Amino acid sequence: MKSSLPFRRLARRLRDTPIRQKLMLIVMTTTALALLLAGIGILLADSILYRSALKSDLSTLTHIIADNTTAALSFEDPAAATETLGALRARSHVMNACVYRKDGALFARYTRSGVTTACPSPKTAEDIHFDAEAITVSRPIVNKGARLGTLVIVYDLGAIYERVQLYGTSVVLVFLLSTLIAFLLSSQLRSLIATPIVELARVTSHVSASRDYSIRAQKFSGDELGLLVDGFNEMLSGIQSRDTDLRNALLARERALRDVQEARDSLESTLVGVAQLNAELRTSNDNLARSNEDLERFAFIASHDLQEPLRMITIYSQLLVRSYAGALDTQASAFLNNIETGTKRMRELLADLLAYAEIGARLDEPAQPVDMNLVVQKVRDNLAFVVNESHATITVGPLPTICGFESHFVPLFQNLVGNAIKYRSHQPPHIEIVAVFTNGQIKICVSDNGIGIAPEYHSKIFVAFKRLHGKNIPGTGIGLAICQRVVERYGGSIWVESELGHGSNFVFTLPANLIAEPAFSRDNKEDRGQTLQ
């Protein structure tokens, strides 16, 4: 375990190393390892081949010397044998050469200058023996099939060592030169991958910090990284255009509201010129209505059109992760994760914004009977996973059938029930939905045993994008704004009755003329309300 600590530390350092240095390290390590293995292979192959060639050469040499000493042994002429052995002086690596008689007695000998060792004992058969210091070759001296004696030659390994040194030096020089060339080439080529990623990360950080959508990332290539840069720039262009349009729409709305307020203040301060003030008020109201319609239409179009560039950013971010797996450093991976997280968050916001904008639509379409009991059942089906996961129980009393649009009431109940589960306490959520008829209105209550809401936040929670718990609990902050918009769309109102730590009771009312079943108003008075499991 202790031996693995240095490797873990090295891995952590490499993980945090900039991508430029990481690419350089990968290229240099791969190149150096390949060259090193190739050099070792060359040395080993040459050593084996040279030993084989040396063995063949010494076998031939001993055969020639043995043949030349046959006559000397036959005529008992040691001087002639010694003279024949003296020819081995041309071979600087021959240490000893000895001719033995048939009975093993030394007949003639050659010893290289400075060598003090004697010839080894002769062997009866031909033999070549390698040891750590020399090569010993034994060959019988034969004449007409009769063995006359034995020739023994001792050859040192200097030739092998010199060759290994020569080739080793050559391999080292080639290794160093190749490594230098690889370093110079990789220094130039690493920017092909690192530069686009670093540029995209820089622009992403700048946009995230400054909210300046006018800048663009520089495109360096036409590969997947180039496509990602194009998609990113296209998204920035779309966001910039829609941000400008939204700002202009908001400014127009503020001007219209200011005009209305000024007209109202003028109406309250004086009655002089009231047909003129009324006309201006109607004009301002018309402008405000048109501004609201334009803003809703813009929100619908923007939330719909922004889905495609967001999808493109997500796809190319995932493609970049898969294509360069292992080659990206921690910073680049974090930037890609931020891109994916941001696009996911934006898609959720756009979906809620689209739902918010659609509530104001269908003004000219005829209303249809909507059974609230079926609506709640559909909400249960939509939230089945979180209901089962949280062990929530939902108790529902008889609900009326309303003239309206089902697509409005599904998100109304789904947001209320979903919030009751999301903001639950340590106990399993218990949710009750009850409807009563009172004072010419339908009053529907959605109660829970969750964490509750402090009184000072009762009116703030219905403001769009207002969230009490920040990022601790996921959400877009527009759910209750959608609920309020639905209720007010049908002429009702919504509020919350809650204390911190004692659950919440969300109540909304609808005009009685929306009831499609008159029997409901008779059977569900406030004093006769009931709930069903």
Side-chain angles (χ1 to χ4, degrees), residues 233-246:
N233 288 336
E234 184 178 351
M235 184 197 71
L236 288 179
S237 178
I239 293 177
Q240 181 186 10
S241 176
R242 288 165 176 78
D243 182 69
T244 301
D245 293 341
L246 182 59

Side-chain angles (χ1 to χ4, degrees), residues 191-228:
S191 61
L192 295 178
I193 295 177
T195 300
I197 297 176
V198 172
E199 171 66 10
L200 187 60
R202 182 190 67 80
V203 174
T204 302
S205 300
H206 182 75
V207 171
S208 177
S210 65
R211 305 296 180 184
D212 181 9
Y213 302 109
S214 63
I215 66 173
R216 299 292 182 266
Q218 183 179 357
K219 182 178 179 180
F220 295 91
S221 61
D223 55 5
E224 290 86 349
L225 289 174
L227 294 176
L228 178 61

Side-chain angles (χ1 to χ4, degrees), residues 36-99:
L36 182 62
L37 292 177
I40 294 174
I42 291 173
L43 290 177
L44 291 177
D46 180 74
S47 178
I48 294 172
L49 293 175
Y50 186 70
R51 283 168 67 97
S52 177
L54 184 60
K55 179 178 178 181
S56 177
D57 179 59
L58 291 178
S59 178
T60 302
L61 179 64
T62 56
H63 181 76
I64 294 172
I65 298 298
D67 289 345
N68 291 335
T69 57
T70 301
L73 275 172
S74 298
F75 296 101
E76 287 291 329
D77 188 356
T82 302
E83 184 178 355
T84 300
L85 295 177
L88 294 174
R89 289 186 182 89
R91 297 293 189 101
S92 60
H93 293 288
V94 175
M95 300 173 62
N96 287 302
C98 301
V99 177

